[in-house]
Amino acid sequence: THNSGITPQGVTVVAKKRFGGAPPPPPISVEEVAAARDAWINSVQQLDVDATTLLYDTENVRLLGTVDTEDNKLRNNHALIHEYFTHFLSNDKIVAKFPEVTEDNIIQLGPNHVIFSDYYTFELTKHGKTRMAKAKFSYVYRRKTGHQGLLIATHNSGIT
C-alpha cells in the first residue's frame, strides 16, 4: 500500500545550500577517468588483490564481475570484492585491454559521479595456457572528499 497526500497545512519548501554555499566542483574530466582506469589496469595486471580492492568505494558500492553469474552473492562491501578478486587474479598473468577514455564513452551524472562504459578484452594466462575474454563494462566513478583520485562505486561487466 502506498498512501500519500498533502496535509491541510500545505507544503513548505526549505532551500538547501548545495556544496556548503560554495560553487559546485567542476565535472569529472576525461583525464581523471583515464587515471582511475589506469590505476585499475595496473593493480589487476600486477595481480594485486588488496590494491585492486582499495580502488572501490566503501559506501554504496557494488561489483557485478565479469565472471560472476546470477547465483553469486551481492558484492557490496570490501570483503566480498576482495573475495572476487582473490579468484579472478589467481591467474599467472592478466593483460587488460581497455579503450581510450573519451567524451563519447563517459556520461556525467553530476559533479561527483561519472559512468565510463565500453568493451574490453582480457588475456588470462594460467599454467601456460592463455585464453581471451571479451566483455562489456560500465564503471560508475565517484569523487569523494578526502580521497585522492576517483573511487569505483559500481562495476558491472559481462562476457560478450
Side-chain angles (χ1 to χ4, degrees):
T1 301
H2 175 114
N3 184 7
S4 64
I6 302 293
T7 65
Q9 290 79 23
V11 175
T12 303
V13 176
V14 179
K16 292 184 179 181
K17 291 183 178 179
R18 299 187 74 209
F19 308 105
I28 294 172
S29 69
V30 166
E31 294 77 20
E32 288 175 283
V33 175
R37 176 209 56 198
D38 292 348
W40 192 90
I41 291 170
N42 291 335
S43 65
V44 164
Q45 290 185 165
Q46 292 173 19
L47 307 176
D48 190 333
V49 175
D50 293 333
T52 303
T53 302
L54 288 174
L55 298 173
Y56 289 78
D57 201 349
T58 54
E59 305 169 48
N60 302 313
V61 65
R62 175 155 302 157
L63 168 63
L64 302 168
T66 306
V67 296
D68 271 346
T69 66
E70 63 187 36
D71 298 329
N72 287 113
K73 57 189 98 170
L74 176 63
R75 298 183 193 281
N76 61 356
N77 62 53
H78 269 200
L80 294 174
I81 291 169
H82 191 277
E83 176 185 85
Y84 174 85
F85 282 111
T86 298
H87 168 71
F88 185 71
L89 300 181
S90 68
N91 288 277
D92 300 327
K93 181 180 178 184
I94 295 177
V95 177
K97 298 178 179 181
F98 275 73
E100 290 302 314
V101 179
T102 67
E103 292 291 341
D104 292 334
N105 58 16
I106 64 172
I107 300 169
Q108 298 289 337
L109 297 179
N112 292 316
H113 291 83
V114 66
I115 297 175
F116 172 42
S117 298
D118 214 312
Y119 293 87
Y120 51 19
T121 302
F122 291 104
E123 293 177 8
L124 307 165
T125 303
K126 193 162 197 165
H127 308 301
K129 192 177 212 177
T130 300
R131 60 191 168 96
M132 303 286 281
K134 294 182 183 248
K136 58 187 173 185
F137 68 86
S138 292
Y139 287 86
V140 176
Y141 289 110
R142 176 180 180 208
R143 183 189 288 144
K144 189 173 181 180
T145 303
H147 186 275
Q148 184 178 5
L150 301 176
L151 289 167
I152 299 167
T154 300
H155 170 184
N156 181 5
S157 66
I159 302 292
T160 58

